[in-house]
Amino acid sequence: MVDLSRAKVASQSSIYPCLYDACSKFYIASNAVDRDLSTCTRNKEIGILSSTHTVWWRVDLGKIYSIYSINVLFKNYDGYEMRQRGRFAGFSLYLSNSSLRMIDFLCYEDGKELPPLNFTTPCVGYGRYVTFYNQRLHEIKYPDGYESTTITELCEVIVNGCSEAGVYGENCNVACPKNCQEQRCDIVNGTCLGCLPGWSGRFCENICQGGWYGLECKLRCFGHCRNNAFCNHVTGQCDNGCAEGWKGIYSECKDGYYGLDCKFKCSSHCQNNGPCNKKTGHCDEGCEVGYTNLLCNSVCKGGYYGRNCSHKCSPKCIDTCQHTDGSCTCSYGWMGINCNQDSTDPVLPIPLIWFLGLLLSVVLNLCFVLIAGFKNFR
C-alpha cells in the first residue's frame, strides 16, 4: 500500500485565531498532509454553547483511488492526553467521489470509547475525497469523557491504498477479477465490490442461473426465446431468436403479423377481419366466405364456394363459379345468379301474372253484366 494523500485540502472556513501573527502559519489546512509532525492544522472552537457546532476537514486525492486505511495523528500536549482524546471523540471519517457530498461512504464513526491520539482504521472502498467531521450539538447527551467544547488539531492524515485502479493486494500488483463492476474490488482480498450485468459471486465468477439476467442477476427472462432456450445472461435478449409470435426482449407481434421475429404477415381473409394467431398465423375464428385452410390464404378449389367452401357450384355453369357467392355464366336454357332456373319454363314474371289475372277478372265481370242486361231486356 502507498500513501495517497495530497496537499490539496480544505477545511471549515474559520481557522482558530492565533494569539500571535507569527503562529498563524502553523494552523493552515494543508499542515495535516505535509508530513511534518511539528505542524498541525487547527480549527475554530466548536461547542454546545458556541455559535459553531460542526467542524470538517477534507483532502482531495486528485482522482478516484482504491482505499485501504486511514491514519489520523491528533495533536497531543504533555499531561493533557485525556482532554485531547475527549476533544476529538465522536468524530467520523467519510469517503466520497464528489466534494459536494460529504456523506457518501462512512468509513468510521466514534462510539463511547475515546479514540487514541494516533488513530488508524480500515476504510476499504473507492473514492477521491476523505473527510474528517465532528460536531457538538446541545440537544445530544454525549458519553462520559467527551469534551463539550472542542478544538480540532490534526497533525497528519495519511490515506493508504493503491495508486492504480483495478488492482489489489499488499503490493497493489494483483488485477481485480475481470467481471468486477468498473474493475473495482476489495483492496485486501480481491472480492468484487459489484459485478458486471450477467455475473454473480464474490469474485463475479458465476454467470446468472438459467432464466435470469442483468445487474445482480435480478431480472427474469420473459420465456419467449426460440426452442424454449434461456435468454442471454447479460442482455436478456434471445441470442438465437424469439419464439413464434414475439420480437425483441418482450414485445409481442403487433396485430397482422406472426411467426419467428414477427416477419410473416397474416392473411387478410380471417373472418370479421380479425388478426391471426401471433404464433401460428392461423385464423382461429375461421375464414371469410370463399377462403379456406388454417391460414385462410387459399380460395375454394374449383367447383366449390361459400363459407368453409362447403357449397358446390351449379352443374349448369359454363365455367367454374365464383368462390365467394357461387355466381357464374349459365349454360343455354338456364338463368339466375347460380344458374338454377330453367329459362324454357312457361313461367311468367309475377307482375305480368297479376296483370293478366286482373284483365281476365274484368272481362268475366263484363260478360256477366252483359248477359244479365240482355235477359232483362227480353
Side-chain angles (χ1 to χ4, degrees):
M1 305 297 174
V2 296
D3 177 10
L4 302 174
S5 305
R6 296 291 184 270
K8 189 175 182 180
V9 295
S11 65
Q12 193 171 10
S13 57
S14 297
I15 301 298
Y16 187 82
C18 211
L19 297 177
Y20 306 101
D21 292 338
C23 75
S24 61
K25 65 181 181 180
F26 297 114
Y27 298 133
I28 60 177
S30 60
N31 285 351
V33 290
D34 63 1
R35 300 303 173 259
D36 182 353
L37 299 182
S38 66
T39 61
C40 305
T41 183
R42 183 172 183 173
N43 288 83
K44 184 179 179 180
E45 176 184 282
I46 64 170
I48 295 175
L49 301 178
S50 301
S51 59
T52 303
H53 302 285
T54 62
V55 61
W56 60 266
W57 175 94
R58 179 184 300 118
V59 58
D60 178 2
L61 304 179
K63 66 177 184 179
I64 296 176
Y65 286 109
S66 178
I67 309 302
Y68 171 67
S69 67
I70 300 174
N71 171 243
V72 181
L73 181 64
F74 296 103
K75 178 70 173 179
N76 191 15
Y77 296 95
D78 291 340
Y80 293 95
E81 180 179 347
M82 293 306 295
R83 184 200 69 179
Q84 292 298 92
R85 292 175 65 186
R87 283 181 171 180
F88 308 134
F91 76 93
S92 303
L93 294 173
Y94 295 94
L95 182 63
S96 62
N97 294 332
S98 170
S99 62
L100 300 178
R101 292 184 61 200
M102 181 188 69
I103 301 177
D104 189 3
F105 172 68
L106 178 63
C107 288
Y108 173 82
E109 184 175 30
D110 252 352
K112 294 181 180 181
E113 300 296 326
L114 302 182
L117 298 183
N118 189 349
F119 172 85
T120 300
T121 183
C123 180
V124 179
Y126 280 77
R128 173 173 174 171
Y129 299 90
V130 174
T131 301
F132 171 94
Y133 177 82
N134 207 349
Q135 63 183 18
R136 287 294 185 270
L137 305 176
H138 62 80
E139 66 269 20
I140 294 179
K141 179 175 174 58
Y142 291 97
D144 293 341
Y146 275 53
E147 293 286 328
S148 59
T149 300
T150 79
I151 296 173
T152 300
E153 296 172 290
L154 307 179
C155 292
E156 285 301 320
V157 176
I158 299 175
V159 182
N160 294 307
C162 293
S163 58
E164 298 296 328
V167 294
Y168 71 99
E170 183 175 355
N171 297 317
C172 299
N173 59 353
V174 183
C176 292
K178 63 180 181 179
N179 294 319
C180 289
Q181 190 174 9
E182 298 180 357
Q183 279 294 286
R184 295 181 179 182
C185 66
D186 187 294
I187 196 172
V188 179
N189 56 32
T191 56
C192 295
L193 302 182
C195 297
L196 292 173
W199 298 89
S200 65
R202 297 181 65 222
F203 299 95
C204 301
E205 73 278 20
N206 303 319
I207 66 172
C208 298
Q209 293 182 353
W212 297 86
Y213 74 99
L215 196 62
E216 299 182 6
C217 299
K218 288 185 175 180
L219 301 177
R220 190 160 195 166
C221 298
F222 284 84
H224 302 303
C225 294
R226 186 180 300 179
N227 299 324
N228 293 318
F230 291 128
C231 69
N232 185 288
H233 67 103
V234 177
T235 65
Q237 295 180 342
C238 299
D239 292 337
N240 295 319
C242 301
E244 292 85 351
W246 296 88
K247 185 177 182 180
I249 297 180
Y250 47 79
S251 296
E252 192 177 19
C253 294
K254 64 181 181 179
D255 287 351
Y257 291 86
Y258 74 97
L260 295 175
D261 298 321
C262 304
K263 61 184 178 182
F264 300 107
K265 198 168 184 177
C266 296
S267 168
S268 59
H269 301 297
C270 292
Q271 187 171 320
N272 300 321
N273 292 319
C276 69
N277 186 292
K278 291 178 171 57
K279 292 183 179 180
T280 64
H282 296 170
C283 295
D284 294 336
E285 295 184 3
C287 304
E288 285 183 345
V289 172
Y291 291 87
T292 187
N293 78 26
L294 293 174
L295 299 177
C296 297
N297 59 357
S298 296
V299 299
C300 299
K301 66 181 181 179
Y304 290 86
Y305 73 97
R307 180 77 63 191
N308 300 322
C309 301
S310 58
H311 302 287
K312 263 190 168 186
C313 297
S314 170
K316 307 304 180 181
C317 293
I318 294 178
D319 297 313
T320 187
C321 68
Q322 286 292 324
H323 63 282
T324 54
D325 60 4
S327 61
C328 62
T329 302
C330 302
S331 301
Y332 176 77
W334 294 90
M335 59 186 296
I337 190 172
N338 298 116
C339 300
N340 56 2
Q341 183 180 345
D342 190 346
S343 62
T344 62
D345 288 343
V347 179
L348 297 174
I350 289 178
L352 182 58
I353 293 175
W354 289 348
F355 175 76
L356 292 176
L358 178 61
L359 181 61
L360 179 60
S361 175
V362 172
V363 171
L364 290 175
N365 286 332
L366 182 59
C367 289
F368 288 145
V369 171
L370 291 175
I371 293 172
F374 179 74
K375 287 182 178 182
N376 289 336
F377 176 75
R378 290 188 62 184

